[in-house]
Amino acid sequence: MRKLLRLIKNFLICLKTGSKPLHIGVSQIVYEKMFENKHILVTGGTSGIGLEIAKKFLSLGAKVTITGRNIDKLNAIRNEISNSNLTIVEWDISDSKVTDEKVNETVMKMGKIDILINNSGIYAPNSLFDTDEKLFDEIMNTNLKGLFFTSKKISEYFIKNTIKGKIINISSVRSIQGGAEPYGISKWGVRGLTQGLARDLIKNGIVVNAVAPGITASGINGINIENNAYTSSSLDNRVATPQEIAEIVIFLSSNASNHIIGQTIVCDGGETLI
């Protein structure tokens, strides 16, 4: 009886407001089948976080393309992983003039793109007073400009092909901490762009989010956790692993997170609470 009354009430509301009933199907993760027939583009996938993201997607049945500026390194990764679902594309993300060409090349090689992981990035510890224009431009062109134009082209591709895709940006805790250095400024831009893309693209069924790692053991900062994982910067006194960041990316890329829109998920061991 209660169910019938609820249905009648909802029907009357729809008649009064002119709205249509909304039905929601909440997805739960079936890990071993989660990304079968999905096509993933991971920029900057030859080391660190990007490489672990690619490996995780491959382990879950996805077809993955990784990009990098060094073709020898890309070939070495492909030979090391030895998985027929892995494709490589030589691509300097900072050069926006080749973005259309490289996206088209990726689509030709994979057949489709369902999820974009914007991982390419340059880190430099330089402060305000030891940063020159050349370094500033180099960091911005990769971390922000390259991410912008790659996201723009992929979004156009999603919309043209009616693909309800996902875009996951790899940001940093620097995106929520004040900073006057180019790396931190670029990551502030990534956080704002994540929110703007999410707001503008959700009407097309495209979901955009970001992950903000704290200090992470990767090639970008030369930390080797086999030697020492300690850091005084976080409350748990250790750095993150690339595998931990990959797990968050996997969740945000899955249908289990479809109601998370425009968020930056922080994984920093409590660093931003200090």
Side-chain angles (χ1 to χ4, degrees):
M1 178 61 72
R2 288 182 180 177
K3 183 177 180 181
L4 177 60
L5 290 172
R6 187 164 59 249
L7 288 172
I8 293 172
K9 181 180 179 181
N10 289 338
F11 177 71
L12 292 173
I13 291 173
C14 289
L15 286 178
K16 184 177 180 180
T17 63
S19 62
K20 296 179 180 179
L22 176 63
H23 302 285
I24 300 174
V26 179
S27 298
Q28 293 181 315
I29 297 174
V30 180
Y31 281 96
E32 65 273 13
K33 299 180 179 179
M34 190 159 49
F35 291 103
E36 284 184 351
N37 301 316
K38 291 293 185 180
H39 303 72
I40 321 297
L41 171 59
V42 182
T43 68
T46 58
S47 64
I49 293 172
L51 180 57
E52 291 304 324
I53 290 171
K55 287 179 177 178
K56 187 66 180 183
F57 273 118
L58 288 168
S59 75
L60 297 171
K63 296 182 184 299
V64 179
T65 293
I66 60 173
T67 76
R69 292 179 291 184
N70 188 318
I71 188 62
D72 292 333
K73 187 177 288 188
L74 285 165
N75 282 321
I77 293 297
R78 181 171 57 183
N79 293 335
E80 176 188 334
I81 293 178
S82 188
N83 187 317
S84 61
N85 283 338
L86 177 65
T87 303
I88 61 172
V89 173
E90 185 181 9
W91 182 355
D92 181 355
I93 294 296
S94 69
D95 184 0
S96 60
K97 294 188 296 295
V98 304
T99 303
D100 287 8
E101 171 195 338
K102 294 301 180 179
V103 169
N104 292 336
E105 179 183 345
T106 301
V107 172
M108 285 183 61
K109 287 186 173 183
M110 278 207 297
K112 185 184 180 185
I113 300 173
D114 295 294
I115 298 170
L116 167 64
I117 312 298
N118 280 311
N119 175 72
S120 290
I122 296 175
Y123 172 76
N126 299 57
S127 66
L128 170 66
F129 295 109
D130 60 358
T131 297
D132 58 22
E133 186 176 1
K134 181 175 181 297
L135 176 63
F136 185 93
D137 288 344
E138 183 180 3
I139 292 174
M140 290 297 172
N141 286 344
T142 298
N143 295 8
L144 188 53
K145 181 181 176 182
L147 186 150
F148 174 88
F149 283 103
T150 302
S151 299
K152 175 177 180 287
K153 179 62 178 178
I154 294 294
S155 298
E156 291 170 345
Y157 165 81
F158 284 160
I159 293 169
K160 179 181 178 181
N161 294 279
T162 323
I163 297 171
K164 294 184 178 182
K166 291 203 171 188
I167 298 175
I168 313 296
N169 299 323
I170 304 303
S171 183
S172 165
V173 292
R174 302 299 296 137
S175 70
I176 53 178
Q177 297 170 326
E181 80 289 349
Y183 179 78
I185 296 168
S186 72
K187 294 302 182 179
W188 269 80
V190 170
R191 184 161 68 96
L193 180 58
T194 297
Q195 294 177 348
L197 289 173
R199 179 198 61 217
D200 295 346
L201 296 176
I202 190 58
K203 64 179 179 289
N204 301 108
I206 301 167
V207 176
V208 184
N209 287 293
V211 181
I215 301 173
T216 305
S218 65
I220 201 170
N221 52 34
I223 297 174
N224 185 345
I225 57 173
E226 294 181 3
N227 297 329
N228 186 9
Y230 175 81
T231 179
S232 60
S233 298
S234 62
L235 292 176
D236 60 2
N237 296 129
R238 71 168 179 88
V239 299
T241 68
Q243 292 84 355
E244 287 175 308
I245 308 306
E247 292 293 337
I248 301 172
V249 170
I250 291 296
F251 170 69
L252 290 176
S253 301
S254 76
N255 288 333
S257 64
N258 286 346
H259 200 52
I260 300 174
I261 297 171
Q263 301 304 305
T264 295
I265 309 301
V266 176
C267 180
D268 69 348
E271 177 183 346
T272 47
L273 301 177
I274 298 174

